Amino acid sequence: MLIEESYHDVKTSYGTTMRLFVYHPKIINYPRVKFPGVVVYSEIYQVTGPVSRFAKDIAGQGFIVVCPSIYHNFESHEPLAYDVEGTDKGNLYKITKELKSYDEDNKLAIDYLTSLPTCNGKIGATGMCLGGHLAFRAALDPRVRAAVCFFATDIHNHALAKGQNDDSLARCKEIKGELIMIFGCKDNHVPLEGRDLIRGTLRQAGVEMTFIEINDAQHAFIRDEMSKGRYDPATTKNCTEWMFELFNRKLKLDYGDHDGKNVEIEDVC
């Protein structure tokens, strides 16, 4: 499927301008075709080459994708470098930005998608690292029907944003859509105890969820550039198949009304 790249700048209540990088699928001769929307959240480096390629892959499957430049409070929309200086800046901005600003970014991104005449109104979210947490937090918006969170950081220790005391996991009962949580077993940013806490809390809250832990996978295994030896293309392919199954099922189908019936699973071998 063909895609068109553009951008849209939106004003925030903080007096800043947030750039939304837009990747729009296109079917020639059908200008009125409608697609679901997906918000793709970046790592701490903003919209880098790997994030842009990830977004294009999603758009190419028939989704309108927007990538917010999340550090508009401190920088322009340009990506930070994958070096010590860029890493230090990204980590500092991550815990300096206000939680309300992150939430406003999400609202503005979804508002933009749903305003498009080519959007069918069904919204998903995904992201990696910091973006995995932001995709999780995006799911608190009832308009988000599906979210796929790749190695989401700081959920288990509620350390996102200014004050490092976010309420993302505490509010998980508000999630109405379906989640896929993906972690590597050797991710030193989210240890086993943290993954257990996330899984257990979500299960107890009754959130519809698939929880995937990948043997030998490390943090940033999906990043195909400057991954410091952690990029795993085979695992990445498997995970994107899970993502597209969820997005296609939740965002492209018209379910109609629930029939109100309880489903009993037959105990068979």
PDB file of all heavy atoms in Angstrom, residues 6-38:
ATOM      1  N   SER A   6       3.752  13.520   5.733  1.00  0.00           N
ATOM      2  CA  SER A   6       3.558  14.953   5.939  1.00  0.00           C
ATOM      3  C   SER A   6       3.708  15.239   7.424  1.00  0.00           C
ATOM      4  O   SER A   6       4.185  14.390   8.188  1.00  0.00           O
ATOM      5  CB  SER A   6       2.173  15.393   5.440  1.00  0.00           C
ATOM      6  OG  SER A   6       1.147  14.747   6.175  1.00  0.00           O
ATOM      7  N   TYR A   7       3.328  16.415   7.837  1.00  0.00           N
ATOM      8  CA  TYR A   7       3.319  16.729   9.263  1.00  0.00           C
ATOM      9  C   TYR A   7       2.215  17.731   9.544  1.00  0.00           C
ATOM     10  O   TYR A   7       1.706  18.407   8.641  1.00  0.00           O
ATOM     11  CB  TYR A   7       4.676  17.265   9.733  1.00  0.00           C
ATOM     12  CG  TYR A   7       5.086  18.591   9.125  1.00  0.00           C
ATOM     13  CD1 TYR A   7       4.650  19.801   9.672  1.00  0.00           C
ATOM     14  CD2 TYR A   7       5.908  18.637   8.006  1.00  0.00           C
ATOM     15  CE1 TYR A   7       5.025  21.011   9.120  1.00  0.00           C
ATOM     16  CE2 TYR A   7       6.290  19.838   7.448  1.00  0.00           C
ATOM     17  CZ  TYR A   7       5.838  21.029   8.004  1.00  0.00           C
ATOM     18  OH  TYR A   7       6.193  22.227   7.450  1.00  0.00           O
ATOM     19  N   HIS A   8       1.853  17.780  10.812  1.00  0.00           N
ATOM     20  CA  HIS A   8       0.825  18.732  11.251  1.00  0.00           C
ATOM     21  C   HIS A   8       1.267  19.302  12.593  1.00  0.00           C
ATOM     22  O   HIS A   8       1.559  18.547  13.529  1.00  0.00           O
ATOM     23  CB  HIS A   8      -0.531  18.027  11.400  1.00  0.00           C
ATOM     24  CG  HIS A   8      -1.634  18.919  11.866  1.00  0.00           C
ATOM     25  ND1 HIS A   8      -2.237  19.846  11.051  1.00  0.00           N
ATOM     26  CD2 HIS A   8      -2.239  19.035  13.088  1.00  0.00           C
ATOM     27  CE1 HIS A   8      -3.162  20.494  11.727  1.00  0.00           C
ATOM     28  NE2 HIS A   8      -3.188  20.017  12.963  1.00  0.00           N
ATOM     29  N   ASP A   9       1.338  20.611  12.697  1.00  0.00           N
ATOM     30  CA  ASP A   9       1.738  21.277  13.936  1.00  0.00           C
ATOM     31  C   ASP A   9       0.508  21.698  14.730  1.00  0.00           C
ATOM     32  O   ASP A   9      -0.427  22.281  14.173  1.00  0.00           O
ATOM     33  CB  ASP A   9       2.605  22.504  13.646  1.00  0.00           C
ATOM     34  CG  ASP A   9       3.971  22.149  13.109  1.00  0.00           C
ATOM     35  OD1 ASP A   9       4.433  21.031  13.370  1.00  0.00           O
ATOM     36  OD2 ASP A   9       4.591  22.988  12.419  1.00  0.00           O
ATOM     37  N   VAL A  10       0.515  21.371  16.017  1.00  0.00           N
ATOM     38  CA  VAL A  10      -0.602  21.751  16.885  1.00  0.00           C
ATOM     39  C   VAL A  10      -0.086  22.562  18.064  1.00  0.00           C
ATOM     40  O   VAL A  10       1.013  22.320  18.575  1.00  0.00           O
ATOM     41  CB  VAL A  10      -1.373  20.510  17.396  1.00  0.00           C
ATOM     42  CG1 VAL A  10      -2.051  19.799  16.250  1.00  0.00           C
ATOM     43  CG2 VAL A  10      -0.452  19.566  18.133  1.00  0.00           C
ATOM     44  N   LYS A  11      -0.859  23.521  18.471  1.00  0.00           N
ATOM     45  CA  LYS A  11      -0.512  24.341  19.626  1.00  0.00           C
ATOM     46  C   LYS A  11      -0.962  23.645  20.910  1.00  0.00           C
ATOM     47  O   LYS A  11      -2.047  23.065  20.963  1.00  0.00           O
ATOM     48  CB  LYS A  11      -1.178  25.717  19.530  1.00  0.00           C
ATOM     49  CG  LYS A  11      -0.714  26.548  18.337  1.00  0.00           C
ATOM     50  CD  LYS A  11       0.760  26.927  18.476  1.00  0.00           C
ATOM     51  CE  LYS A  11       1.186  27.840  17.327  1.00  0.00           C
ATOM     52  NZ  LYS A  11       2.624  28.177  17.430  1.00  0.00           N
ATOM     53  N   THR A  12      -0.142  23.733  21.936  1.00  0.00           N
ATOM     54  CA  THR A  12      -0.480  23.141  23.225  1.00  0.00           C
ATOM     55  C   THR A  12      -0.828  24.236  24.221  1.00  0.00           C
ATOM     56  O   THR A  12      -0.553  25.412  23.997  1.00  0.00           O
ATOM     57  CB  THR A  12       0.688  22.312  23.773  1.00  0.00           C
ATOM     58  OG1 THR A  12       1.697  23.200  24.295  1.00  0.00           O
ATOM     59  CG2 THR A  12       1.295  21.433  22.688  1.00  0.00           C
ATOM     60  N   SER A  13      -1.407  23.842  25.332  1.00  0.00           N
ATOM     61  CA  SER A  13      -1.752  24.819  26.368  1.00  0.00           C
ATOM     62  C   SER A  13      -0.515  25.350  27.083  1.00  0.00           C
ATOM     63  O   SER A  13      -0.609  26.283  27.880  1.00  0.00           O
ATOM     64  CB  SER A  13      -2.703  24.182  27.386  1.00  0.00           C
ATOM     65  OG  SER A  13      -2.043  23.148  28.106  1.00  0.00           O
ATOM     66  N   TYR A  14       0.641  24.757  26.800  1.00  0.00           N
ATOM     67  CA  TYR A  14       1.896  25.201  27.401  1.00  0.00           C
ATOM     68  C   TYR A  14       2.576  26.268  26.557  1.00  0.00           C
ATOM     69  O   TYR A  14       3.708  26.664  26.843  1.00  0.00           O
ATOM     70  CB  TYR A  14       2.832  24.002  27.602  1.00  0.00           C
ATOM     71  CG  TYR A  14       2.340  23.045  28.660  1.00  0.00           C
ATOM     72  CD1 TYR A  14       1.345  22.109  28.365  1.00  0.00           C
ATOM     73  CD2 TYR A  14       2.830  23.078  29.960  1.00  0.00           C
ATOM     74  CE1 TYR A  14       0.873  21.236  29.326  1.00  0.00           C
ATOM     75  CE2 TYR A  14       2.360  22.216  30.939  1.00  0.00           C
ATOM     76  CZ  TYR A  14       1.380  21.303  30.608  1.00  0.00           C
ATOM     77  OH  TYR A  14       0.905  20.442  31.565  1.00  0.00           O
ATOM     78  N   GLY A  15       1.903  26.711  25.507  1.00  0.00           N
ATOM     79  CA  GLY A  15       2.463  27.728  24.634  1.00  0.00           C
ATOM     80  C   GLY A  15       3.501  27.192  23.665  1.00  0.00           C
ATOM     81  O   GLY A  15       4.244  27.962  23.061  1.00  0.00           O
ATOM     82  N   THR A  16       3.551  25.889  23.505  1.00  0.00           N
ATOM     83  CA  THR A  16       4.517  25.263  22.611  1.00  0.00           C
ATOM     84  C   THR A  16       3.804  24.710  21.377  1.00  0.00           C
ATOM     85  O   THR A  16       2.575  24.638  21.329  1.00  0.00           O
ATOM     86  CB  THR A  16       5.256  24.116  23.317  1.00  0.00           C
ATOM     87  OG1 THR A  16       4.290  23.126  23.726  1.00  0.00           O
ATOM     88  CG2 THR A  16       5.992  24.621  24.550  1.00  0.00           C
ATOM     89  N   THR A  17       4.601  24.309  20.407  1.00  0.00           N
ATOM     90  CA  THR A  17       4.078  23.686  19.201  1.00  0.00           C
ATOM     91  C   THR A  17       4.555  22.245  19.134  1.00  0.00           C
ATOM     92  O   THR A  17       5.759  21.983  19.168  1.00  0.00           O
ATOM     93  CB  THR A  17       4.546  24.440  17.945  1.00  0.00           C
ATOM     94  OG1 THR A  17       4.055  25.791  17.986  1.00  0.00           O
ATOM     95  CG2 THR A  17       4.021  23.759  16.683  1.00  0.00           C
ATOM     96  N   MET A  18       3.625  21.336  19.066  1.00  0.00           N
ATOM     97  CA  MET A  18       3.965  19.921  18.941  1.00  0.00           C
ATOM     98  C   MET A  18       3.787  19.494  17.486  1.00  0.00           C
ATOM     99  O   MET A  18       2.713  19.661  16.910  1.00  0.00           O
ATOM    100  CB  MET A  18       3.080  19.058  19.845  1.00  0.00           C
ATOM    101  CG  MET A  18       3.362  17.569  19.713  1.00  0.00           C
ATOM    102  SD  MET A  18       2.427  16.536  20.862  1.00  0.00           S
ATOM    103  CE  MET A  18       0.748  16.777  20.264  1.00  0.00           C
ATOM    104  N   ARG A  19       4.839  18.959  16.920  1.00  0.00           N
ATOM    105  CA  ARG A  19       4.751  18.454  15.558  1.00  0.00           C
ATOM    106  C   ARG A  19       4.287  17.001  15.567  1.00  0.00           C
ATOM    107  O   ARG A  19       4.848  16.159  16.279  1.00  0.00           O
ATOM    108  CB  ARG A  19       6.090  18.572  14.838  1.00  0.00           C
ATOM    109  CG  ARG A  19       6.089  17.945  13.439  1.00  0.00           C
ATOM    110  CD  ARG A  19       7.100  18.571  12.519  1.00  0.00           C
ATOM    111  NE  ARG A  19       6.778  19.966  12.248  1.00  0.00           N
ATOM    112  CZ  ARG A  19       7.460  20.737  11.406  1.00  0.00           C
ATOM    113  NH1 ARG A  19       8.500  20.244  10.746  1.00  0.00           N
ATOM    114  NH2 ARG A  19       7.115  21.996  11.223  1.00  0.00           N
ATOM    115  N   LEU A  20       3.284  16.730  14.759  1.00  0.00           N
ATOM    116  CA  LEU A  20       2.830  15.368  14.527  1.00  0.00           C
ATOM    117  C   LEU A  20       3.343  14.943  13.159  1.00  0.00           C
ATOM    118  O   LEU A  20       2.977  15.535  12.135  1.00  0.00           O
ATOM    119  CB  LEU A  20       1.301  15.289  14.544  1.00  0.00           C
ATOM    120  CG  LEU A  20       0.592  15.689  15.841  1.00  0.00           C
ATOM    121  CD1 LEU A  20      -0.919  15.694  15.613  1.00  0.00           C
ATOM    122  CD2 LEU A  20       0.950  14.751  16.970  1.00  0.00           C
ATOM    123  N   PHE A  21       4.208  13.946  13.130  1.00  0.00           N
ATOM    124  CA  PHE A  21       4.639  13.384  11.866  1.00  0.00           C
ATOM    125  C   PHE A  21       3.544  12.416  11.403  1.00  0.00           C
ATOM    126  O   PHE A  21       3.131  11.536  12.162  1.00  0.00           O
ATOM    127  CB  PHE A  21       5.976  12.666  12.024  1.00  0.00           C
ATOM    128  CG  PHE A  21       7.111  13.610  12.339  1.00  0.00           C
ATOM    129  CD1 PHE A  21       7.434  13.922  13.654  1.00  0.00           C
ATOM    130  CD2 PHE A  21       7.840  14.194  11.316  1.00  0.00           C
ATOM    131  CE1 PHE A  21       8.467  14.801  13.951  1.00  0.00           C
ATOM    132  CE2 PHE A  21       8.883  15.080  11.600  1.00  0.00           C
ATOM    133  CZ  PHE A  21       9.199  15.380  12.915  1.00  0.00           C
ATOM    134  N   VAL A  22       3.083  12.611  10.179  1.00  0.00           N
ATOM    135  CA  VAL A  22       1.906  11.889   9.684  1.00  0.00           C
ATOM    136  C   VAL A  22       2.314  10.965   8.542  1.00  0.00           C
ATOM    137  O   VAL A  22       3.001  11.380   7.599  1.00  0.00           O
ATOM    138  CB  VAL A  22       0.822  12.864   9.193  1.00  0.00           C
ATOM    139  CG1 VAL A  22      -0.425  12.100   8.745  1.00  0.00           C
ATOM    140  CG2 VAL A  22       0.467  13.874  10.294  1.00  0.00           C
ATOM    141  N   TYR A  23       1.875   9.721   8.644  1.00  0.00           N
ATOM    142  CA  TYR A  23       2.102   8.718   7.600  1.00  0.00           C
ATOM    143  C   TYR A  23       0.725   8.164   7.211  1.00  0.00           C
ATOM    144  O   TYR A  23       0.089   7.459   7.996  1.00  0.00           O
ATOM    145  CB  TYR A  23       3.030   7.612   8.096  1.00  0.00           C
ATOM    146  CG  TYR A  23       4.318   8.163   8.673  1.00  0.00           C
ATOM    147  CD1 TYR A  23       4.429   8.436  10.044  1.00  0.00           C
ATOM    148  CD2 TYR A  23       5.402   8.439   7.858  1.00  0.00           C
ATOM    149  CE1 TYR A  23       5.594   8.958  10.576  1.00  0.00           C
ATOM    150  CE2 TYR A  23       6.584   8.964   8.378  1.00  0.00           C
ATOM    151  CZ  TYR A  23       6.666   9.223   9.736  1.00  0.00           C
ATOM    152  OH  TYR A  23       7.820   9.745  10.259  1.00  0.00           O
ATOM    153  N   HIS A  24       0.298   8.513   6.002  1.00  0.00           N
ATOM    154  CA  HIS A  24      -1.085   8.251   5.600  1.00  0.00           C
ATOM    155  C   HIS A  24      -1.118   7.256   4.445  1.00  0.00           C
ATOM    156  O   HIS A  24      -0.523   7.493   3.393  1.00  0.00           O
ATOM    157  CB  HIS A  24      -1.752   9.565   5.177  1.00  0.00           C
ATOM    158  CG  HIS A  24      -3.239   9.516   5.137  1.00  0.00           C
ATOM    159  ND1 HIS A  24      -3.944   8.621   4.358  1.00  0.00           N
ATOM    160  CD2 HIS A  24      -4.177  10.256   5.804  1.00  0.00           C
ATOM    161  CE1 HIS A  24      -5.242   8.810   4.532  1.00  0.00           C
ATOM    162  NE2 HIS A  24      -5.410   9.789   5.392  1.00  0.00           N
ATOM    163  N   PRO A  25      -1.820   6.128   4.613  1.00  0.00           N
ATOM    164  CA  PRO A  25      -1.960   5.193   3.495  1.00  0.00           C
ATOM    165  C   PRO A  25      -2.815   5.802   2.391  1.00  0.00           C
ATOM    166  O   PRO A  25      -3.644   6.689   2.634  1.00  0.00           O
ATOM    167  CB  PRO A  25      -2.644   3.982   4.132  1.00  0.00           C
ATOM    168  CG  PRO A  25      -3.353   4.529   5.319  1.00  0.00           C
ATOM    169  CD  PRO A  25      -2.540   5.694   5.814  1.00  0.00           C
ATOM    170  N   LYS A  26      -2.598   5.309   1.183  1.00  0.00           N
ATOM    171  CA  LYS A  26      -3.301   5.866   0.034  1.00  0.00           C
ATOM    172  C   LYS A  26      -3.652   4.747  -0.938  1.00  0.00           C
ATOM    173  O   LYS A  26      -2.811   3.909  -1.265  1.00  0.00           O
ATOM    174  CB  LYS A  26      -2.412   6.903  -0.661  1.00  0.00           C
ATOM    175  CG  LYS A  26      -3.013   7.543  -1.892  1.00  0.00           C
ATOM    176  CD  LYS A  26      -2.060   8.548  -2.509  1.00  0.00           C
ATOM    177  CE  LYS A  26      -2.648   9.195  -3.750  1.00  0.00           C
ATOM    178  NZ  LYS A  26      -1.693  10.179  -4.350  1.00  0.00           N
ATOM    179  N   ILE A  27      -4.905   4.742  -1.381  1.00  0.00           N
ATOM    180  CA  ILE A  27      -5.339   3.824  -2.431  1.00  0.00           C
ATOM    181  C   ILE A  27      -5.747   4.660  -3.633  1.00  0.00           C
ATOM    182  O   ILE A  27      -6.700   5.450  -3.560  1.00  0.00           O
ATOM    183  CB  ILE A  27      -6.501   2.934  -1.953  1.00  0.00           C
ATOM    184  CG1 ILE A  27      -6.065   2.091  -0.747  1.00  0.00           C
ATOM    185  CG2 ILE A  27      -6.986   2.026  -3.088  1.00  0.00           C
ATOM    186  CD1 ILE A  27      -7.163   1.220  -0.176  1.00  0.00           C
ATOM    187  N   ILE A  28      -5.012   4.539  -4.695  1.00  0.00           N
ATOM    188  CA  ILE A  28      -5.231   5.364  -5.878  1.00  0.00           C
ATOM    189  C   ILE A  28      -6.656   5.190  -6.400  1.00  0.00           C
ATOM    190  O   ILE A  28      -7.183   4.080  -6.461  1.00  0.00           O
ATOM    191  CB  ILE A  28      -4.201   5.002  -6.969  1.00  0.00           C
ATOM    192  CG1 ILE A  28      -2.791   5.362  -6.484  1.00  0.00           C
ATOM    193  CG2 ILE A  28      -4.493   5.737  -8.279  1.00  0.00           C
ATOM    194  CD1 ILE A  28      -1.686   4.926  -7.426  1.00  0.00           C
ATOM    195  N   ASN A  29      -7.261   6.342  -6.728  1.00  0.00           N
ATOM    196  CA  ASN A  29      -8.624   6.429  -7.274  1.00  0.00           C
ATOM    197  C   ASN A  29      -9.714   6.277  -6.227  1.00  0.00           C
ATOM    198  O   ASN A  29     -10.895   6.288  -6.558  1.00  0.00           O
ATOM    199  CB  ASN A  29      -8.864   5.392  -8.391  1.00  0.00           C
ATOM    200  CG  ASN A  29      -7.990   5.635  -9.608  1.00  0.00           C
ATOM    201  OD1 ASN A  29      -7.631   6.777  -9.897  1.00  0.00           O
ATOM    202  ND2 ASN A  29      -7.638   4.570 -10.310  1.00  0.00           N
ATOM    203  N   TYR A  30      -9.316   6.131  -4.954  1.00  0.00           N
ATOM    204  CA  TYR A  30     -10.309   6.043  -3.873  1.00  0.00           C
ATOM    205  C   TYR A  30      -9.975   7.068  -2.784  1.00  0.00           C
ATOM    206  O   TYR A  30      -9.512   6.712  -1.695  1.00  0.00           O
ATOM    207  CB  TYR A  30     -10.356   4.638  -3.288  1.00  0.00           C
ATOM    208  CG  TYR A  30     -10.903   3.607  -4.248  1.00  0.00           C
ATOM    209  CD1 TYR A  30     -10.064   2.913  -5.106  1.00  0.00           C
ATOM    210  CD2 TYR A  30     -12.274   3.360  -4.315  1.00  0.00           C
ATOM    211  CE1 TYR A  30     -10.572   1.982  -6.008  1.00  0.00           C
ATOM    212  CE2 TYR A  30     -12.792   2.426  -5.203  1.00  0.00           C
ATOM    213  CZ  TYR A  30     -11.928   1.741  -6.052  1.00  0.00           C
ATOM    214  OH  TYR A  30     -12.433   0.823  -6.933  1.00  0.00           O
ATOM    215  N   PRO A  31     -10.219   8.352  -3.064  1.00  0.00           N
ATOM    216  CA  PRO A  31      -9.825   9.399  -2.114  1.00  0.00           C
ATOM    217  C   PRO A  31     -10.643   9.429  -0.840  1.00  0.00           C
ATOM    218  O   PRO A  31     -10.241  10.053   0.142  1.00  0.00           O
ATOM    219  CB  PRO A  31     -10.023  10.692  -2.919  1.00  0.00           C
ATOM    220  CG  PRO A  31     -11.087  10.341  -3.922  1.00  0.00           C
ATOM    221  CD  PRO A  31     -10.836   8.905  -4.286  1.00  0.00           C
ATOM    222  N   ARG A  32     -11.785   8.746  -0.819  1.00  0.00           N
ATOM    223  CA  ARG A  32     -12.658   8.794   0.354  1.00  0.00           C
ATOM    224  C   ARG A  32     -12.564   7.544   1.226  1.00  0.00           C
ATOM    225  O   ARG A  32     -13.339   7.382   2.163  1.00  0.00           O
ATOM    226  CB  ARG A  32     -14.108   9.006  -0.083  1.00  0.00           C
ATOM    227  CG  ARG A  32     -14.338  10.333  -0.804  1.00  0.00           C
ATOM    228  CD  ARG A  32     -15.790  10.516  -1.195  1.00  0.00           C
ATOM    229  NE  ARG A  32     -16.010  11.768  -1.908  1.00  0.00           N
ATOM    230  CZ  ARG A  32     -17.161  12.154  -2.422  1.00  0.00           C
ATOM    231  NH1 ARG A  32     -18.229  11.360  -2.294  1.00  0.00           N
ATOM    232  NH2 ARG A  32     -17.273  13.310  -3.055  1.00  0.00           N
ATOM    233  N   VAL A  33     -11.638   6.664   0.907  1.00  0.00           N
ATOM    234  CA  VAL A  33     -11.494   5.461   1.720  1.00  0.00           C
ATOM    235  C   VAL A  33     -11.102   5.845   3.143  1.00  0.00           C
ATOM    236  O   VAL A  33     -10.363   6.812   3.362  1.00  0.00           O
ATOM    237  CB  VAL A  33     -10.443   4.508   1.108  1.00  0.00           C
ATOM    238  CG1 VAL A  33      -9.064   5.127   1.096  1.00  0.00           C
ATOM    239  CG2 VAL A  33     -10.415   3.171   1.842  1.00  0.00           C
ATOM    240  N   LYS A  34     -11.613   5.120   4.122  1.00  0.00           N
ATOM    241  CA  LYS A  34     -11.354   5.429   5.526  1.00  0.00           C
ATOM    242  C   LYS A  34     -10.458   4.357   6.158  1.00  0.00           C
ATOM    243  O   LYS A  34     -10.620   3.162   5.894  1.00  0.00           O
ATOM    244  CB  LYS A  34     -12.669   5.529   6.305  1.00  0.00           C
ATOM    245  CG  LYS A  34     -13.524   6.734   5.908  1.00  0.00           C
ATOM    246  CD  LYS A  34     -14.791   6.792   6.743  1.00  0.00           C
ATOM    247  CE  LYS A  34     -15.667   7.975   6.355  1.00  0.00           C
ATOM    248  NZ  LYS A  34     -15.038   9.264   6.722  1.00  0.00           N
ATOM    249  N   PHE A  35      -9.559   4.830   7.009  1.00  0.00           N
ATOM    250  CA  PHE A  35      -8.612   3.955   7.691  1.00  0.00           C
ATOM    251  C   PHE A  35      -8.680   4.197   9.197  1.00  0.00           C
ATOM    252  O   PHE A  35      -9.026   5.292   9.643  1.00  0.00           O
ATOM    253  CB  PHE A  35      -7.181   4.245   7.235  1.00  0.00           C
ATOM    254  CG  PHE A  35      -6.952   4.138   5.758  1.00  0.00           C
ATOM    255  CD1 PHE A  35      -6.992   5.264   4.953  1.00  0.00           C
ATOM    256  CD2 PHE A  35      -6.686   2.910   5.172  1.00  0.00           C
ATOM    257  CE1 PHE A  35      -6.772   5.181   3.582  1.00  0.00           C
ATOM    258  CE2 PHE A  35      -6.453   2.809   3.813  1.00  0.00           C
ATOM    259  CZ  PHE A  35      -6.496   3.946   3.013  1.00  0.00           C
ATOM    260  N   PRO A  36      -8.303   3.201  10.005  1.00  0.00           N
ATOM    261  CA  PRO A  36      -8.131   3.452  11.442  1.00  0.00           C
ATOM    262  C   PRO A  36      -6.905   4.340  11.676  1.00  0.00           C
ATOM    263  O   PRO A  36      -6.046   4.490  10.800  1.00  0.00           O
ATOM    264  CB  PRO A  36      -7.904   2.054  12.025  1.00  0.00           C
ATOM    265  CG  PRO A  36      -8.262   1.096  10.937  1.00  0.00           C
ATOM    266  CD  PRO A  36      -8.043   1.796   9.648  1.00  0.00           C
ATOM    267  N   GLY A  37      -6.828   4.893  12.868  1.00  0.00           N
ATOM    268  CA  GLY A  37      -5.682   5.718  13.240  1.00  0.00           C
ATOM    269  C   GLY A  37      -4.853   5.051  14.322  1.00  0.00           C
ATOM    270  O   GLY A  37      -5.393   4.340  15.171  1.00  0.00           O
ATOM    271  N   VAL A  38      -3.549   5.273  14.282  1.00  0.00           N
ATOM    272  CA  VAL A  38      -2.647   4.741  15.300  1.00  0.00           C
ATOM    273  C   VAL A  38      -1.668   5.835  15.720  1.00  0.00           C
ATOM    274  O   VAL A  38      -1.046   6.482  14.864  1.00  0.00           O
ATOM    275  CB  VAL A  38      -1.850   3.521  14.784  1.00  0.00           C
ATOM    276  CG1 VAL A  38      -0.798   3.087  15.806  1.00  0.00           C
ATOM    277  CG2 VAL A  38      -2.788   2.357  14.472  1.00  0.00           C
TER     278      VAL A  38
END
